[in-house]
Each structure stands twice: as structure tokens, then as C-alpha cells.
């Protein structure tokens, strides 16, 4: 029986469903698959040391989540083209003595969006968050044909950096940064809102913007999946918005990561069913 030892690096990851999501799929493939949480709040926040320790202890790979998706890059030996382009890593594969970083977030979000919000208008999108997940989500939306994304972040410099990279990649006028003060005006004309910050997670409850800014002509996509129904999505549905929760993104990024870790072909429909089952437990 083939064996795999996988870990997840991030802060406050106790509620993560990645371990059972991966392990249940592995069981269908007859694999001995152990998935451990490496919470930086408990074992220390030195991402480089965690990478070196995981390699030393025989891990086959790691997933990486908030707030480490960009911090991990200097500690890797190689980046896939997607990870290099996005400047963010959510999957690390150990290949011999090399640690190779990948990004399966953007494809995960793209698949989730295509399934959950088919034919959603995408002329003007407001995105909250310009970190590693935000970079992946914005890239996915522009790749899928969004006309323009306006990015707001608590760190304005980070929003400027991300939108500069997106403009260089997709062309002038496709992405721009904006200060938080512009949010009410932007939301009036927006087709969609994408939320890509930790707000709403079990460890970071609350709303990323005033509920009064939501309106029926808007679709709202949240990347948070624990809880699956965030306060943002509850208010959005009450306002008459079409909504997309973070469950699809977490499943489809896991599908791609599982393939990278094991070389086996996972069943995405089965993994979606795994998530539904785990959420209702």
C-alpha cells in the first residue's frame, strides 16, 4: 500500500476540513494517507523552519493557507509557472531534495465560479483582499473574461502591487486599486463582489463591509468555507443577491493538490460529496 504524509501550514487552522477531505478520497484509492495540521499559532510562525522540518521528517507535501502563501516562497527551491506568476503558493510538493511550490487556488476558484455562478455578469467586479488568495481569485476572474476588477485592501500598497501585476498580465484598464472610502460608490455600479480576506472565518467573525451596500443586482462570492454560510452570505441572500460560498473553491483546489501529491486522479464529485458530509457532521 502506497503511503503519504501531508501537512497544512497556516494560522488558526484547527477547524480546517482539509485533513478528512484528503484522507477520505485517499481511502477510495487504497492509500495510507496521513494529513496533519501545522498551525503556526501552536508550533511557531517560522515558515522556513516548518518547511525544513517537514522535509526532514519525510513529508511528501504540504498545503499552505493564510497568512503564509507569500511568505513561504523564499524557502522553496522551485515554483511552478502559476505560482511564479501569482506570487503565491498553496501547495508544496517534496521531490527528492527539492521543495516545489504550486498554486491550485486560482483553478479551484475558477471551477467553483463556473459551476456556482454560471452566466454571472462580470463587467465591474469589486474585490476585497489582495493577499495570496486575492491574487489567485482576481487572476481567475480576469482569465474567465471579467472586464474590470477594482481591488480594495487594508494595506493600500498591497492592492497597488496586485493590480499592477494584473494590468501587466491582462492589459490596461482591467484592474485598479481603490481606497476603502470609494467602496459605497463602487458597490452601487458593481455586478459582483468577491470577498478574499479572513473576515468571516471561525477565528475572524464579522462582516467585511456594511450590509447596507448589498443590493439585488449583485452577486457575492466568498472564499471562506468555515463556516460555509458566512455572515456576508447571509446578508447577501437577504438582500436578494446570488451567492457563491467557499466550499467549491476548497474542494477543487484540493482535487488539484491531491493529484500533485499522489499522482492519482481524484473524483471531484466524490470530494464535493465528502465536503457536504463533513459540513453537516
Amino acid at each position: 500500500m502506497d503511503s503519504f504524509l501531508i501537512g497544512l501550514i497556516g494560522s488558526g487552522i484547527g477547524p480546517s476540513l482539509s485533513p478528512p477531505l484528503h484522507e477520505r478520497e485517499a481511502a477510495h484509492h487504497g492509500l495510507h494517507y496521513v494529513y496533519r495540521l501545522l498551525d503556526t499559532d501552536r508550533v511557531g510562525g517560522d515558515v522556513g523552519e516548518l518547511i525544513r522540518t517537514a522535509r526532514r521528517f519525510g513529508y511528501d507535501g504540504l498545503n499552505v493557507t493564510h497568512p503564509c502563501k507569500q511568505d513561504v516562497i523564499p524557502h522553496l527551491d522551485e515554483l511552478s509557472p502559476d505560482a511564479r506568476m501569482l506570487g503565491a503558493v498553496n501547495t508544496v510538493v517534496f521531490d527528492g531534495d527539492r521543495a516545489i511550490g504550486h498554486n491550485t487556488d486560482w483553478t479551484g476558484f475558477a471551477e467553483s465560479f463556473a459551476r456556482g455562478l454560471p452566466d454571472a455578469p462580470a463587467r465591474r467586479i469589486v474585490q476585497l483582499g489582495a493577499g495570496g488568495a486575492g491574487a489567485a481569485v482576481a487572476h481567475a476572474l480576469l482569465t474567465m473574461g471579467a472586464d474590470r476588477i477594482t481591488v480594495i485592501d487594508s494595506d493600500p500598497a498591497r492592492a497597488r502591487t496586485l493590480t499592477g501585476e494584473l494590468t501587466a498580465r491582462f492589459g490596461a484598464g482591467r484592474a485598479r486599486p481603490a481606497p476603502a472610502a470609494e467602496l459605497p460608490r463602487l458597490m452601487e455600479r458593481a455586478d459582483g463582489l468577491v470577498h478574499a480576506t479572513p473576515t468571516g472565518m471561525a477565528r475572524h467573525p464579522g462582516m467585511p463591509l456594511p450590509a447596507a451596500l448589498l443590493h439585488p443586482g449583485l452577486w457575492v462570492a466568498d472564499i471562506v468555507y468555515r463556516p460555509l454560510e458566512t455572515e456576508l452570505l447571509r446578508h447577501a441572500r437577504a438582500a436578494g443577491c446570488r451567492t457563491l460560498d467557499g466550499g467549491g473553491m476548497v474542494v477543487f483546489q484540493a482535487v488539484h493538490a491531491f493529484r500533485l501529491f499522489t499522482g492519482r486522479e481524484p473524483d471531484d464529485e466524490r470530494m464535493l460529496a465528502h465536503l457536504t458530509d463533513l459540513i453537516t457532521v
Side-chain angles (χ1 to χ4, degrees):
M1 178 183 293
D2 289 340
S3 297
F4 294 88
L5 177 57
I6 307 297
L8 173 64
I9 294 177
S11 171
I13 55 177
S16 173
L17 293 179
S18 288
L21 187 61
H22 278 251
E23 289 173 351
R24 286 188 178 200
E25 182 61 20
H28 284 277
H29 293 266
L31 304 175
H32 182 256
Y33 196 103
V34 177
Y35 193 117
R36 294 176 176 168
L37 298 180
L38 304 174
D39 195 320
T40 57
D41 295 347
R42 300 184 61 185
V43 301
D46 188 333
V47 176
E49 184 57 34
L50 285 175
I51 294 289
R52 290 187 291 273
T53 300
R55 192 199 313 243
R56 191 164 60 247
F57 278 84
Y59 278 71
D60 296 286
L62 300 165
N63 283 134
V64 183
T65 190
H66 175 80
C68 304
K69 293 182 180 184
Q70 293 162 325
D71 294 344
V72 73
I73 289 176
H75 307 288
L76 304 177
D77 301 300
E78 184 180 335
L79 296 178
S80 72
D82 284 351
R84 186 180 306 107
M85 175 178 59
L86 294 170
V89 165
N90 78 316
T91 302
V92 177
V93 176
F94 294 113
D95 182 8
D97 61 353
R98 298 181 64 75
I100 304 169
H102 300 263
N103 191 299
T104 69
D105 277 337
W106 87 265
T107 51
F109 180 82
E111 289 190 43
S112 177
F113 190 89
R115 287 188 179 216
L117 289 173
D119 304 318
R123 296 179 300 276
R124 294 178 296 271
I125 298 173
V126 175
Q127 177 172 307
L128 304 179
V137 167
H139 177 84
L141 288 167
L142 291 172
T143 298
M144 296 173 75
D147 290 342
R148 182 171 183 169
I149 295 179
T150 301
V151 180
I152 297 173
D153 193 88
S154 58
D155 179 353
R158 187 161 63 172
R160 288 194 298 271
T161 297
L162 173 58
T163 54
E165 293 169 350
L166 292 168
T167 297
R169 200 178 306 145
F170 292 98
R174 302 291 299 282
R176 77 172 186 93
E182 284 191 29
L183 188 57
R185 179 184 64 80
L186 291 167
M187 291 294 290
E188 287 179 1
R189 303 180 64 228
D191 297 312
L193 171 71
V194 179
H195 174 235
T197 85
T199 303
M201 292 171 62
R203 289 278 298 273
H204 305 276
M207 284 277 289
L209 81 171
L213 298 182
L214 303 170
H215 55 82
L218 191 72
W219 55 260
V220 177
D222 200 337
I223 70 165
V224 173
Y225 81 98
R226 290 302 305 269
L228 200 60
E229 184 180 68
T230 60
E231 190 173 345
L232 171 61
L233 294 184
R234 284 197 298 274
H235 281 285
R237 279 194 286 271
C241 305
R242 296 170 65 188
T243 61
L244 179 70
D245 63 51
M249 179 178 177
V250 77
V251 167
F252 290 117
Q253 65 81 20
V255 166
H256 303 314
F258 185 92
R259 186 183 297 115
L260 288 168
F261 292 146
T262 67
R264 306 293 180 92
E265 192 60 37
D267 185 318
D268 53 3
E269 296 295 341
R270 186 166 59 211
M271 291 185 75
L272 284 166
H274 292 331
L275 182 73
T276 299
D277 184 50
L278 290 165
I279 289 289
T280 57
V281 169

